[in-house]
């Protein structure tokens, strides 16, 4: 049954869909947006969006496959200008046997991390072995100019509102994903690079991953040293300690790095640095509680909060973090505008939800419905859902009272923009970097509806709740602006300089 399902899916996305089927999917996509998205016309008027979707229908008069349709529909969906709306490409499915074989091979191109600076795409880092590519500019992939690919990929996603900083940062950081959506599975790539004034071409092929041999040379087998009970206990304690540390700091196994990092700058502990890559994983309460206890004990005067490349995450986490940064009572978010009195049930009963989850949701649906109805209220003709974070709270007893510097860039999005709004509005921090990709006035997120179009099998994702702070700025549609604008360059990267961080240290020194 599983193999048959894979075969049917692959046939569905590769065959040519009739014009009527394509038009039906366009109507379905727009209908789902109108039904579930509470701020659909916040940045683009209804008249303009109606025209965009109607124009797309009129322009499609020949059959096409799902991948070709994705390339036509994605730019229209992006015109909503809501960053949490996304359209997934129709990718091929594989059987369990095929996946097992694929996992044995890798294309080292996807081990490269990119950054888009100075209108060029650079290799920022590599998780492979060839470190010589770091700092090189990528010019061409097969027959496609990278500059042309970047221009196209930027049309397939949106930031919140009208700012453009997210586009440059996001397209660089996720270039490999965009390329895969565009081209699909490939066995080799011919890539042209530029290093200073020299041009060279590197061919990436799928290679076999090295496997450790199960057979061992008997002459090299070391005799197992029998440990004492005391040594075994010490080993178990060390393992538990490491596991707790990883959970507290949000360890990311793939990149071998931590989501949350904290350290003091210098020996006098007057400056602390907290780097937060996201708000999505790990035991955040223990991390923040421990970090701010250290700040209080050391009587630290300055805190550098690094939110660059932080794509967001849990509202509960940023609310908890802000309770250590605020100096007076606060209300973290307003009631969230929604389009349904039972938003969580709508979320669970999407056509992409596995049947087992639907059955379980159906069983507990009376509880979900009652909870949703108790938290949903109608006001001025609109529905609002109340989170726990709408209550007025006092700062934590060990809240930080010193100077705060916040580092931001275009990839500071969603939750990282929301906490930045609070710090900016209350003049609690000095912001250094560039405008955030997330909007100052909030975003539509919270929970998401994932809907699969019936014919082309493309999946459209949309937020269902307007999440916003009490503070607002006008005009609407822009991110949190830096007090000191600093844009990094490729020269800074090659010299391993961090101009935003360096400026903060210099400012702290001058204030002393």
């Amino acid at each position: 049954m599983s193999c048959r399902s894979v075969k049917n899916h692959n046939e569905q996305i590769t065959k040519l869909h009739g014009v009527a089927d394509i038009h039906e999917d366009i109507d379905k996509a727009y209908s789902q947006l109108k039904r579930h998205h509470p701020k659909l016309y916040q940045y683009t008027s209804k008249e303009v969006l109606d025209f965009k979707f109607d124009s797309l229908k009129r322009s499609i008069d020949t059959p096409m496959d799902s991948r070709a349709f994705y390339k036509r529909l994605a730019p229209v969906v992006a015109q909503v200008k809501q960053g949490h709306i996304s359209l997934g490409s129709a990718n091929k499915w594989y059987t369990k046997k095929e996946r097992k074989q694929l996992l044995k091979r890798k294309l080292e191109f996807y081990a490269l991390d990119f950054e888009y600076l100075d209108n060029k795409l650079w290799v920022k880092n590599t998780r492979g072995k060839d470190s010589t590519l770091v700092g090189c500019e990528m010019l061409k992939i097969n027959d496609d100019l990278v500059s042309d690919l970047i221009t196209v990929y930027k049309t397939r996603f949106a930031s919140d509102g009208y700012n453009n900083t997210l586009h440059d940062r996001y397209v660089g950081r996720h270039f490999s994903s965009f390329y895969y959506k565009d081209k699909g599975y490939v066995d080799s790539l011919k890539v042209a690079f530029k290093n200073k004034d020299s041009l060279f071409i590197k061919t990436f092929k799928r290679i076999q991953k090295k496997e450790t041999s199960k057979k061992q040379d008997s002459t090299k087998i070391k005799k197992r040293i029998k440990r004492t009970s005391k040594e075994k206990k010490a080993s178990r304690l060390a393992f538990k300690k490491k596991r707790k540390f990883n959970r507290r700091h949000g360890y990311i196994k793939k990149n071998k790095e931590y989501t949350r990092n904290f350290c003091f700058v210098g020996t006098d502990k007057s400056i602390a640095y907290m780097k937060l890559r996201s708000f999505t994983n790990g035991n955040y309460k223990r991390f923040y509680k421990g970090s701010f206890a250290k700040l209080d004990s050391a009587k630290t005067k300055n805190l550098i909060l690094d939110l660059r490349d932080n794509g967001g995450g849990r509202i509960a986490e940023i609310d908890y973090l802000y309770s250590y940064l605020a100096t007076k009572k606060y209300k973290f978010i307003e009631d969230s505008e929604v389009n349904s009195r039972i938003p969580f049930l709508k979320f669970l009963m999407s056509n992409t939800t596995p049947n087992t989850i639907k059955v379980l949701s159906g069983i507990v649906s009376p509880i979900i419905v009652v909870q949703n109805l108790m938290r949903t209220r109608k006001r001025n003709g609109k529905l609002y859902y109340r989170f726990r974070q709408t209550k007025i709270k006092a700062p934590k007893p060990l809240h930080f009272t010193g100077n705060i510097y916040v580092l931001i860039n275009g990839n500071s999005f969603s939750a990282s923009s929301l906490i930045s709004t609070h710090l900016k509005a209350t003049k609690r921090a000095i912001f250094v970097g560039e405008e955030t990709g997330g909007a100052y006035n909030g975003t539509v997120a919270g929970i998401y509806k994932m809907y699969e179009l019936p014919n082309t099998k493309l999946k459209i994702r949309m937020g269902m709740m307007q999440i916003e702070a009490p503070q607002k700025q006008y005009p609407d549609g822009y991110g949190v602006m830096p007090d000191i604008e600093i844009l990094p360059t490729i020269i800074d990267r090659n010299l391993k300089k961090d101009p935003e961080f360096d400026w903060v240290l210099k400012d702290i020194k001058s204030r002393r």
Side-chain angles (χ1 to χ4, degrees):
M1 288 177 64
S2 176
C3 292
R4 182 63 185 169
S5 176
V6 169
K7 183 181 178 181
N8 290 341
H9 173 83
N10 292 337
E11 288 177 352
Q12 184 74 6
I13 66 171
T14 53
K15 74 175 185 179
L16 293 179
H17 304 286
V19 174
D21 290 339
I22 294 290
H23 288 183
E24 180 187 1
D25 277 10
I26 294 172
D27 290 336
K28 286 283 186 181
Y30 196 23
S31 173
Q32 285 292 313
L33 286 170
K34 288 188 284 189
R35 184 178 177 183
H36 299 292
H37 199 284
K39 291 281 187 178
L40 186 60
Y41 306 115
Q42 183 176 5
Y43 303 120
T44 305
S45 68
K46 183 179 185 303
E47 292 74 20
V48 171
L49 273 184
D50 287 348
F51 175 78
K52 294 285 184 183
F53 279 93
D54 287 340
S55 296
L56 177 62
K57 286 176 64 176
R58 290 196 300 269
S59 68
I60 295 177
D61 53 8
T62 56
M64 61 178 62
D65 63 22
S66 297
R67 189 177 296 277
F69 178 55
Y70 161 77
K71 297 174 183 178
R72 300 289 296 275
L73 180 60
V76 176
V77 171
Q79 289 299 311
V80 178
K81 301 186 187 299
Q82 295 275 0
H84 287 86
I85 293 178
S86 63
L87 183 70
S89 179
N91 296 320
K92 182 181 177 181
W93 285 3
Y94 298 94
T95 62
K96 186 177 181 180
K97 184 178 180 180
E98 289 172 332
R99 290 196 300 271
K100 190 175 180 180
Q101 291 300 316
L102 288 172
L103 288 172
K104 293 180 180 180
R105 304 173 69 210
K106 63 179 180 179
L107 183 65
E108 289 195 325
F109 175 79
Y110 292 115
L112 301 178
D113 295 327
F114 301 100
E115 187 171 18
Y116 189 64
L117 291 174
D118 304 332
N119 296 319
K120 296 174 183 178
L121 190 67
W122 308 86
V123 179
K124 181 181 180 181
N125 187 33
T126 177
R127 283 165 277 113
K129 293 182 178 180
D130 193 354
S131 60
T132 60
L133 293 176
V134 177
C136 295
E137 179 190 354
M138 192 163 67
L139 302 174
K140 197 174 183 180
I141 306 178
N142 290 342
D143 296 325
D144 297 312
L145 290 173
V146 170
S147 57
D148 293 341
L149 293 174
I150 291 287
T151 301
V152 172
Y153 295 164
K154 280 185 178 182
T155 67
R156 295 178 182 172
F157 67 96
S159 60
D160 282 338
Y162 312 113
N163 79 69
N164 296 312
T165 57
L166 176 75
H167 287 83
D168 286 347
R169 299 289 166 256
Y170 193 84
V171 78
R173 193 177 186 189
H174 298 278
F175 180 83
S176 297
S177 298
F178 282 114
Y179 191 80
Y180 176 73
K181 287 181 179 180
D182 190 18
K183 307 297 182 181
Y185 184 90
V186 294
D187 284 314
S188 65
L189 289 173
K190 191 176 181 181
V191 184
F193 292 96
K194 181 179 180 181
N195 186 8
K196 296 180 181 178
D197 293 327
S198 62
L199 301 175
F200 64 96
I201 294 174
K202 181 177 176 62
T203 300
F204 295 90
K205 295 182 179 180
R206 288 201 177 269
I207 59 174
Q208 199 78 11
K209 291 181 181 178
K210 288 185 179 180
E211 295 183 1
T212 55
S213 178
K214 293 183 179 179
K215 294 182 179 180
Q216 292 181 317
D217 189 346
S218 59
T219 61
K220 295 182 180 180
I221 297 176
K222 294 182 179 180
K223 289 185 177 181
R224 187 175 180 182
I225 301 173
K226 191 174 182 179
R227 296 182 299 174
T228 64
S229 59
K230 188 176 181 180
E231 288 173 332
K232 289 179 180 179
K233 184 178 180 181
S235 179
R236 287 196 301 268
L237 290 174
F239 175 76
K240 287 181 179 180
K241 185 177 180 181
K242 182 65 175 177
R243 187 172 60 181
K244 286 181 179 179
F245 182 89
N246 287 347
R247 286 177 178 174
R248 187 164 62 248
H249 291 78
Y251 183 65
I252 306 170
K253 188 176 181 181
K254 178 183 177 182
N255 299 331
K256 296 181 179 179
E257 61 184 18
Y258 292 98
T259 298
R260 301 177 200 86
N261 300 272
F262 174 83
C263 65
F264 288 103
V265 181
T267 56
D268 62 354
K269 296 186 178 181
S270 64
I271 305 173
Y273 175 72
M274 187 179 287
K275 168 68 177 175
L276 303 174
R277 288 184 169 87
S278 74
F279 301 109
T280 55
N281 65 325
N283 190 333
Y284 63 87
K285 288 186 178 181
R286 288 189 176 183
F287 173 81
Y288 295 124
K289 186 177 181 179
S291 298
F292 284 96
K294 291 177 183 177
L295 290 173
D296 183 72
S297 178
K299 294 182 171 37
T300 304
K301 302 290 185 182
N302 303 281
L303 172 63
I304 304 171
L305 184 62
D306 193 344
L307 298 180
R308 291 173 296 182
D309 298 324
N310 186 321
R314 299 171 287 199
I315 300 174
E317 180 170 347
I318 55 173
D319 177 38
Y320 192 82
L321 169 58
Y322 187 70
S323 67
Y324 281 103
L325 301 174
T327 55
K328 56 184 179 181
K329 289 184 178 181
Y330 67 93
K331 180 181 181 181
F332 197 68
I333 60 172
E334 296 283 9
D335 291 348
S336 299
E337 185 180 341
V338 293
N339 278 4
S340 170
R341 289 187 179 274
I342 47 173
F344 281 88
L345 194 61
K346 294 280 186 182
F347 149 70
L348 290 168
M349 291 300 182
S350 178
N351 68 351
T352 57
T353 304
N355 289 331
T356 52
I357 302 297
K358 285 183 178 179
V359 171
L360 290 173
S361 300
I363 294 171
V364 299
S365 60
I367 300 172
I368 297 173
V369 169
V370 170
Q371 189 269 353
N372 280 198
L373 291 176
M374 288 177 64
R375 288 183 172 270
T376 308
R377 294 287 183 271
K378 194 167 187 178
R379 192 167 66 240
N380 299 325
K382 296 180 180 179
L383 292 172
Y384 293 90
Y385 182 88
R386 173 161 292 183
F387 283 98
R388 288 177 296 176
Q389 288 76 23
T390 59
K391 297 178 180 179
I392 296 176
K393 298 178 182 178
K396 295 288 185 183
L398 294 181
H399 66 273
F400 183 72
T401 58
N403 303 316
I404 301 176
Y405 295 83
V406 183
L407 308 183
I408 52 174
N409 68 0
N411 270 330
S412 301
F413 186 70
S414 193
S416 60
S417 293
L418 184 59
I419 192 171
S420 294
T421 296
H422 275 278
L423 294 170
K424 182 76 171 181
T426 56
K427 298 181 181 179
R428 185 70 184 89
I430 296 174
F431 285 79
V432 182
E434 66 179 357
E435 179 187 1
T436 62
Y440 185 107
N441 288 357
T443 187
V444 178
I447 55 175
Y448 300 92
K449 180 79 173 182
M450 184 75 76
Y451 180 79
E452 184 179 80
L453 301 180
N455 301 304
T456 58
K457 301 302 178 182
L458 301 184
K459 293 179 181 178
I460 185 169
R461 187 193 79 157
M462 65 205 80
M464 299 175 68
M465 296 176 164
Q466 172 69 4
I467 309 296
E468 59 184 34
Q471 303 90 345
K472 298 292 183 294
Q473 73 172 3
Y474 298 96
D476 189 13
Y478 295 93
V480 177
M481 297 292 182
D483 300 298
I484 306 297
E485 185 179 47
I486 298 177
L487 304 179
T489 65
I490 189 58
I491 296 175
D492 295 324
R493 293 291 186 262
N494 289 337
L495 294 175
K496 299 188 183 303
K497 285 187 175 181
D498 188 338
E500 300 99 309
F501 184 81
D502 292 343
W503 183 92
V504 171
L505 294 182
K506 187 176 179 181
D507 187 69
I508 292 172
K509 186 178 180 180
S510 66
R511 287 172 181 264
R512 285 176 179 171

